Amino acid sequence: MPTQVKNLLKTYNLKATPQRITIYKIMKNLGHASADLVYKEIGDQFPTLTVATVYNVLESFVEVGLIKRRLSSNNKMFFDVNTYEHCHLYCQKTHKFLDFDDTDLMKMVHEYISKKNIENFELSTIDIQLSGYIKN
Amino acid sequence: MPTQVKNLLKTYNLKATPQRITIYKIMKNLGHASADLVYKEIGDQFPTLTVATVYNVLESFVEVGLIKRRLSSNNKMFFDVNTYEHCHLYCQKTHKFLDFDDTDLMKMVHEYISKKNIENFELSTIDIQLSGYIKN
DNA sequence: GTGATTGCAAATTTTTTGCAAGATA
DNA sequence: TATCTTGCAAAAAATTTGCAATCAC
């Protein structure tokens, strides 16, 4: 697994620094997280790693497409380790995300939208977010 | 129009202060905006009105359901003056929103989702956001 | 009048920046 | 070695708070 992450980073033309490896593993583990959350998760397992580095690293991941930004109403940056298109359940209370995989739905909406042919807009991704309360 | 806003606020059990009236008019005019944007828009037309008040007022609007928060990847609070369910075009470069009304699409997705019967989740609203670049 | 709302200034929280030191390929 | 990345400390940006003064009803 550690070597795998190393290779993954290289695939994306990122130098495999210990900081990046650590942060990627945490993102992989959390699935969705804010910079802040990642930083807290690091805790004292890597004492010299600073918040600034967390932001830098996450930004470098976004740039190459290794992770994606997610939309939140939390006024915090949120990132998603899964970059393929999928829906989300978003908890308005805790601001947590759960993946909601439904390729049929995504396909249906995509087809509908492409028929519409929206002017003056270059579509990049479709986000479907079900907002509400995650119980438990 | 000024009286209309006054009445609207009263309908929502909000005292019709000049600050609230001003801010609601601006929101109505902008459609979608961050607290910051609203504050800038006020400019010197109301010199004593501070940022703190902008946040307070917008929050009070959200609480009663007069406006809604919107999801952004901008790490800023975004608000929407239209509270009915509708889609959005979101510009990833400028972080601007455009309404994209399509009741058929919303209906289709709603029906699809309700058939799914998602466990441990209390659905409040469905957000469909088309992210990309708004030309022009 | 009374309770809710505002202004102000200061504190927090979140994110960014600059630059020297260090690590990666 | 050359370049990219990190650490650190400080700045900037965004949001919140406390409290006294003021206003809407």
Side-chain angles (χ1 to χ4, degrees):
Chain A
M1 164 60 151
T3 322
Q4 281 171 33
V5 174
K6 226 172 181 170
N7 289 336
L8 179 66
L9 291 173
K10 283 180 188 166
T11 309
Y12 282 87
N13 283 316
L14 291 173
K15 289 185 182 171
T17 66
Q19 291 85 343
R20 283 180 176 158
I21 293 168
T22 305
I23 291 173
Y24 184 78
K25 281 188 198 163
I26 287 173
M27 275 304 301
K28 192 78 189 171
N29 188 40
L30 294 176
H32 313 87
S34 62
D36 192 57
L37 250 169
V38 171
Y39 184 61
K40 280 180 189 142
E41 197 72 12
I42 292 169
D44 41 35
Q45 102 182 52
F46 201 144
T48 61
L49 210 170
T50 60
V51 224
T53 300
V54 173
Y55 280 97
N56 283 339
V57 167
L58 289 172
E59 184 58 35
S60 72
F61 287 176
V62 170
E63 265 170 21
V64 299
L66 183 55
I67 65 175
K68 281 182 78 174
R69 279 181 206 285
R70 280 223 49 74
L71 308 164
S72 81
S73 62
N74 195 23
N75 54 276
K76 281 192 184 186
M77 286 183 180
F78 257 91
F79 301 93
D80 191 340
V81 81
N82 291 126
T83 55
Y84 68 93
E85 270 196 339
H86 57 291
C87 307
H88 288 89
L89 306 182
Y90 179 62
C91 184
Q92 296 173 325
K93 206 188 305 182
T94 62
H95 300 285
K96 282 185 183 163
F97 292 94
L98 281 182
D99 286 334
F100 179 69
D101 282 314
D102 192 326
T103 43
D104 291 342
L105 175 59
M106 291 312 299
K107 202 176 155 189
M108 185 174 85
V109 175
H110 258 291
E111 279 169 7
Y112 184 95
I113 294 292
S114 46
K115 273 179 203 152
K116 279 267 166 172
N117 225 332
I118 306 166
E119 273 178 38
N120 296 322
F121 186 69
E122 188 188 322
L123 180 63
S124 155
T125 57
I126 296 181
D127 268 297
I128 300 181
Q129 200 148 299
L130 311 182
S131 297
Y133 299 99
I134 298 173
K135 298 171 198 165
N136 249 312
Chain B
M1 162 62 153
T3 321
Q4 282 172 34
V5 174
K6 227 171 182 170
N7 290 336
L8 180 67
L9 292 172
K10 283 180 189 164
T11 309
Y12 282 87
N13 283 314
L14 291 172
K15 288 187 182 170
T17 66
Q19 291 84 344
R20 283 180 175 157
I21 294 168
T22 305
I23 290 173
Y24 184 79
K25 280 189 200 163
I26 287 172
M27 275 304 301
K28 192 77 190 174
N29 188 41
L30 293 176
H32 313 86
S34 63
D36 190 58
L37 249 168
V38 171
Y39 184 60
K40 280 182 189 143
E41 197 72 12
I42 292 168
D44 41 34
Q45 102 182 52
F46 201 144
T48 61
L49 210 169
T50 60
V51 223
T53 299
V54 173
Y55 280 97
N56 284 337
V57 167
L58 289 172
E59 184 58 34
S60 72
F61 286 176
V62 170
E63 266 170 20
V64 298
L66 182 55
I67 65 175
K68 282 182 79 174
R69 278 181 208 287
R70 281 223 50 73
L71 309 164
S72 79
S73 62
N74 195 24
N75 54 277
K76 282 191 183 186
M77 286 184 179
F78 257 90
F79 302 93
D80 190 340
V81 82
N82 291 125
T83 55
Y84 69 94
E85 269 196 341
H86 57 291
C87 307
H88 288 89
L89 306 181
Y90 178 61
C91 184
Q92 295 173 325
K93 205 186 307 182
T94 62
H95 300 284
K96 282 185 184 164
F97 292 92
L98 280 183
D99 286 335
F100 179 69
D101 282 314
D102 191 326
T103 43
D104 290 342
L105 175 60
M106 291 312 298
K107 203 175 154 189
M108 185 173 85
V109 174
H110 258 289
E111 279 169 7
Y112 184 96
I113 294 293
S114 45
K115 273 180 203 153
K116 280 266 164 174
N117 224 333
I118 306 164
E119 272 178 41
N120 297 322
F121 187 70
E122 188 187 320
L123 180 62
S124 155
T125 56
I126 296 181
D127 265 297
I128 300 180
Q129 199 148 304
L130 311 181
S131 297
Y133 298 98
I134 298 173
K135 299 171 197 166
N136 247 314

